[in-house]
Amino acid sequence: MRPRNIGLIAAAVLTVHLLVLWGPGDAWTQAQPDVPAEVARLDTVWISPPVAAPAPPPPAPRPVRQTRARPATPAAAAAPAPLPVPAPATDMPAPPQPDTVAAAVPDHDPTPPEAAPAQDSRPADTSPGAPHWQVRGADGQPLAAALPAAATDTPQHQTLRYRVHGWIKGLEYHAQAELSWHTEGGRYQARQSISAFLLGSLEQTSRGRIGAEGFQPERFDDRRLTRLRSATLDWEAQLAHFEPERPPAAIGPGTQDPLSVFLQLSALLEHLPALRAPGTLVEIPTLGSRSLQMWQFRVQDTDTLELPSGPLATLRLQRAPQSGDREQALLWLAPALGYAPVRIQMQESNGDHLTLTLRELP
């Protein structure tokens, strides 16, 4: 039982390591009390005069009306004074102020207050300030980076197989990984899988278009055992939608997924020599199956690796850790393979580490 438990723990941690790199109506209720308050006040004003109203004779209304005008609206007595002269005005009290009351009563209609809150249809998700990819030199100044037509017109088909080796809490483990992609006719498909003992197979796929901005993913799937998470990128609306459903994320030019980001990085370095200078920083917004992050790759230096197939010249890059991450990642890209990754190494602060190494040249 004990060795099996250790194996399960190792498999789970392997999954974490690999996925870190590959991507892991009150308004109306408040207005309503004010309306009845005003109506009650008007009723009491007009109820007090009727006490004197019982004297219907024509002479009586005049004196009574004068006494009415004083208590009813002291401030407005100057204006109403000339109006009381006609006797019929005694019967007019109800029309003027009840009309204003009727004008206030419509405020109790719930339709207008509900219409206002309905306008909050989460515009924040479609924020125009979506992140976009950019390149900076060693001095921190922006560099112009535009892929030539040759970078997207040439059909490609490549399959790379890796040996996975790592240590977790003193326990050594091994696995196999494969990365393949195919480009033709302005479109691409890519697939990456990892298989390990007691873990089964994990698979990620990406498909989309290829244009002036390079790779433009339209669909990303992440299958882990029996669970599937997906992201669909709507470039017209500049939004990414997730399955299972989550709030959409704004996307900008150059946005990639955890699989297409390596294809995009390889294309940039292969066709733009200026980006290979040590210190160059390439920032690519990368969309996983649940959120978007800005992945930063810093060019470090050239190395010659001793691979199972023999020595191979490479360019070493570091992926800067995200906020809260404790994991460091290094990538070695081979010019002879179009700057495809031939070694990927990750290490945590507690000493656990993972290395993917190309088994053989394609």
Side-chain angles (χ1 to χ4, degrees):
M1 292 296 293
R2 188 172 182 180
R4 180 181 179 183
N5 291 339
I6 295 175
L8 290 173
I9 295 173
V13 175
L14 168 61
T15 305
V16 174
H17 280 180
L18 297 177
L19 295 175
V20 166
L21 180 66
W22 300 98
D26 295 334
W28 176 71
T29 54
Q30 292 176 359
Q32 189 176 9
D34 295 340
V35 174
E38 294 180 4
V39 174
R41 192 178 306 125
L42 292 172
D43 289 345
T44 54
V45 170
W46 292 103
I47 288 173
S48 58
V51 178
R62 291 180 181 176
V64 172
R65 180 168 176 74
Q66 291 175 357
T67 54
R68 288 178 191 171
R70 290 174 185 173
T73 52
L83 297 176
V85 178
T90 53
D91 298 333
M92 300 287 292
Q97 293 178 351
D99 284 347
T100 55
V101 174
V105 173
D107 290 346
H108 94 285
D109 185 357
T111 305
E114 290 181 359
Q119 294 176 355
D120 291 343
S121 54
R122 0 178 187 170
D125 294 333
T126 58
S127 170
H132 58 279
W133 76 289
Q134 55 187 343
V135 180
R136 298 183 182 276
D139 57 358
Q141 296 300 315
L143 296 178
L147 288 172
T152 59
D153 290 345
T154 306
Q156 293 183 0
H157 181 74
Q158 193 77 273
T159 299
L160 302 177
R161 295 179 176 84
Y162 301 88
R163 180 183 61 195
V164 183
H165 176 250
W167 290 84
I168 170 65
K169 299 187 182 303
L171 179 66
E172 185 180 21
Y173 59 86
H174 299 271
Q176 305 295 326
E178 182 177 288
L179 172 63
S180 63
W181 67 93
H182 178 77
T183 65
E184 188 173 5
R187 298 195 61 83
Y188 81 92
Q189 290 184 344
R191 176 182 176 274
Q192 177 265 325
S193 64
I194 300 172
S195 58
F197 180 62
L198 296 177
L199 182 62
S201 179
L202 309 179
E203 182 183 75
Q204 292 179 337
T205 59
S206 173
R207 66 177 183 269
R209 301 192 301 263
I210 307 177
E213 293 283 347
F215 290 85
Q216 194 174 62
E218 297 174 338
R219 173 84 178 190
F220 171 73
D221 292 325
D222 186 349
R223 291 180 176 85
R224 307 180 188 183
L225 300 179
T226 60
R227 183 172 56 184
L228 172 64
R229 288 195 177 102
S230 302
T232 303
L233 290 78
D234 184 344
W235 289 98
E236 291 185 2
Q238 293 192 343
L239 285 175
H241 302 276
F242 302 95
E243 300 174 19
E245 186 174 355
R246 298 173 63 87
I251 59 176
T255 298
Q256 303 296 324
D257 59 49
L259 189 50
S260 67
V261 64
F262 292 101
L263 306 181
Q264 179 79 343
L265 187 62
S266 298
L268 291 173
L269 292 171
E270 181 180 13
H271 297 280
L272 302 175
L275 274 58
R276 306 171 197 164
T280 301
L281 179 66
V282 182
E283 298 180 305
I284 303 178
T286 304
L287 184 75
S289 57
R290 290 181 290 181
S291 63
L292 185 143
Q293 292 182 328
M294 183 65 78
W295 283 20
Q296 298 179 331
F297 298 92
R298 176 81 67 178
V299 178
Q300 292 189 331
D301 207 344
T302 56
D303 287 332
T304 299
L305 297 184
E306 291 294 335
L307 301 178
S309 57
L312 186 65
T314 63
L315 180 66
R316 184 177 73 249
L317 286 78
Q318 179 189 31
R319 184 171 79 86
Q322 299 297 314
S323 176
D325 284 355
R326 298 178 303 170
E327 202 160 53
Q328 300 289 335
L330 293 174
L331 297 86
W332 285 263
L333 311 181
L337 300 177
Y339 287 87
V342 295
R343 176 175 290 177
I344 301 173
Q345 186 178 81
M346 294 177 288
Q347 183 165 357
E348 290 193 1
S349 57
N350 63 359
D352 297 343
H353 63 87
L354 166 71
T355 303
L356 289 84
T357 304
L358 185 67
R359 291 163 50 189
E360 56 186 13
L361 293 177

